[in-house]
Amino acid sequence: MFKKLIPLLIIVLILTVATIIKKQSTKEQFDLIQELGAQNILDDKFLGSEVDQIELYLGTKTDSKVTLKKENEQWFITTAYQAPARKNNIDKFLYTLKNMLGEVRNAPKEFFSDFQLQNEEAVHIVLTRTVDKSTILSHILLGKTDGENACFVRLYNNDTIFRVGRNLRQEIGIFSNEKDKAPEHTHWLDKNVLTLNKDDVKEIAITYPDKKIHFVKETKTIEQPEDPETKEKPAPKIEEEWKLKPIEGSFNQSELDSFIDSITNIEAQDVADPNKKEEINIDKPNYKLEITLANDKKYVLHGAFTGGEQDGYCYLETNPNLIYKLDNWTFSNRIFKSGSKYFVLPSLTIDRTQIQNITYHIPQGTFSINRFVFGKEKDEKITWILAEPENKYATQADTLNAVVGRLSVLKADDYTDEVDLGKLGLDTPQYSLTIHLKDNSQHVIKVTKQNGKYYTLFDEERPIVTLSKTDFEKLFPIIDKMFIIESVEEKENNADDEPMIDNDIEESMIDNDIEESMIDNNMEEPMIDNDIEESMIDNDTEPDEENK
């Protein structure tokens, strides 16, 4: 009988010891709090669950305050176009305030500024219950930090200053002690545009202003061979594979996988005013992303992007008034990435050592330049001579060498579904380069700028592609970077001082047997006129009177 009671006595003993330890720990903690002079700052009756409105503002700047409002257990930012707020962040913040302890710092009112706790300089945190009757549950003034993990606070209409062992400024999104630093709504904003399980995605359609890409995940059954020992045939193996539609073709699977990872967790930078859709072009979105799940549920994201360094905007079709702002990289490199990421596009790779002549056709005129190499291999030098108009201007070799360098590694940035050259202006291109090689072959690059894109043909090869802005500017630099543009008086003054072609170059030209015939009959177009100084300032616009 006694043996049966031993386990019970052991359990009772353990519980007794645990209770004693807990009481001692609590007592020590209480004594420590008392010893430090710490006390609860908010009233013991304060309940974070009763708060359904939070206002945050700096000093007297109530017109720029951040207001968070709870409706049906969901928090929204009423001062940011009713955008959803991060509920977990708000609940955590209210819990922190409820349990906030502070050490009393006695200081007269005239020293409040030392703590940034004057009414007009402190950050105000107003906690309100609006149900039935609007009641302010607590009004806290937040001052400067004390080190990295503490700050000073006081209650509104109360002169007692507390030092709190938490950096509350960081917890509301203020990361400095600058007096003019106000709370911002982005700290509370739920930036999650879309969250999906990537394994559930079965179809993706991406619409751009000039093309559409469509991927479909298909299931295929692979029969398994019979087991030679058991003579049993295993169940077929089921595999999933992404296909390009409507015309099947090869594509970069790793880029598609990366894309799916991106679209199943899209985060915004901010939200935009739904009453100003025209200003950000979202009233007429030019991009669209359609995602279909295995259960046939469909998500449609409409986007607007003007190109360049601008940010993009988007909204879900189910909520067109909640407009998200996406940073440039997210919009153009994660969601609506260029076609060159998925497909192998036409490119042009020219051996720079074989280039003999380049003829330019640009809006300001036509000109032709010859490339000369002289000296020994280790001391090899390269120079350029303006062939047509003959010897009119000296060239700037560094710029022209950069052109050749780009021609040796030129790749398309994107492509278009458009096949009509006329619609893109490529039947009469604004810019073109004809590159003549030593073996008498040639390459032609045609470019037209339209809607912020540089539509391009490489040797008439399809599809029509686009160049990046960087590549275009490298191939077609502004004229005064290609040539030394001098006035007639400057040219006459410098004529006797420095010849355009030095003796080494002249000898090299003779050695290389360069003849006038290197420029073929196709170059007999009107060459650049005598007003090149005035007209060839840039590639896009005619100079105004001041520039002339």
Side-chain angles (χ1 to χ4, degrees), residues 24-131:
Q24 287 180 343
S25 175
T26 305
K27 184 176 185 301
E28 288 175 3
Q29 182 180 7
F30 175 78
D31 291 342
L32 181 62
I33 292 173
Q34 291 292 97
E35 185 178 340
L36 293 173
Q39 63 185 62
N40 289 318
I41 298 176
L42 299 188
D43 190 285
D44 291 340
K45 296 180 181 179
F46 174 82
L47 294 174
S49 58
E50 291 187 348
V51 178
D52 60 12
Q53 179 176 289
I54 303 174
E55 295 172 290
L56 304 105
Y57 57 91
L58 177 64
T60 57
K61 299 178 181 179
T62 55
D63 55 338
S64 59
K65 66 183 176 183
V66 175
T67 302
L68 310 172
K69 190 78 171 66
K70 183 165 71 171
E71 298 176 6
N72 299 321
E73 299 303 317
Q74 296 294 321
W75 284 91
F76 298 90
I77 309 175
T78 59
T79 49
Y81 323 114
Q82 205 65 17
R86 293 177 175 174
K87 184 177 183 301
N88 289 342
N89 286 17
I90 297 173
D91 290 343
K92 182 180 177 181
F93 180 60
L94 290 174
Y95 178 82
T96 296
L97 296 180
K98 164 67 177 173
N99 297 281
M100 184 168 54
L101 297 175
E103 305 167 35
V104 177
R105 294 293 174 91
N106 294 315
K109 288 184 178 181
E110 54 265 30
F111 291 103
F112 280 4
S113 285
D114 294 342
F115 302 92
Q116 285 181 215
L117 283 174
Q118 291 282 9
N119 286 359
E120 55 273 6
E121 63 183 359
V123 175
H124 292 244
I125 304 171
V126 184
L127 311 175
T128 305
R129 180 181 65 237
T130 62
V131 177

Side-chain angles (χ1 to χ4, degrees), residues 255-277:
E255 282 292 343
L256 178 59
D257 293 338
S258 172
F259 169 72
I260 295 172
D261 287 337
S262 297
I263 65 173
T264 51
N265 187 23
I266 301 174
E267 283 210 354
Q269 188 179 53
D270 202 350
V271 288
D273 189 349
N275 296 315
K276 297 181 179 180
K277 292 181 179 180

Side-chain angles (χ1 to χ4, degrees), residues 198-199 201-202 204 214-218 220 240-244 249-262 337 339-344:
K198 68 177 183 179
D199 294 329
V201 178
K202 74 170 186 179
I204 302 166
H214 189 187
F215 296 104
V216 177
K217 185 164 64 176
E218 295 182 351
K220 62 180 181 179
E240 293 179 333
E241 183 180 17
W242 283 95
K243 296 283 189 179
L244 185 66
S250 60
F251 59 90
N252 190 327
Q253 181 64 52
S254 63
E255 282 292 343
L256 178 59
D257 293 338
S258 172
F259 169 72
I260 295 172
D261 287 337
S262 297
K337 58 176 67 179
S340 61
K341 301 291 186 181
Y342 299 112
F343 311 111
V344 177

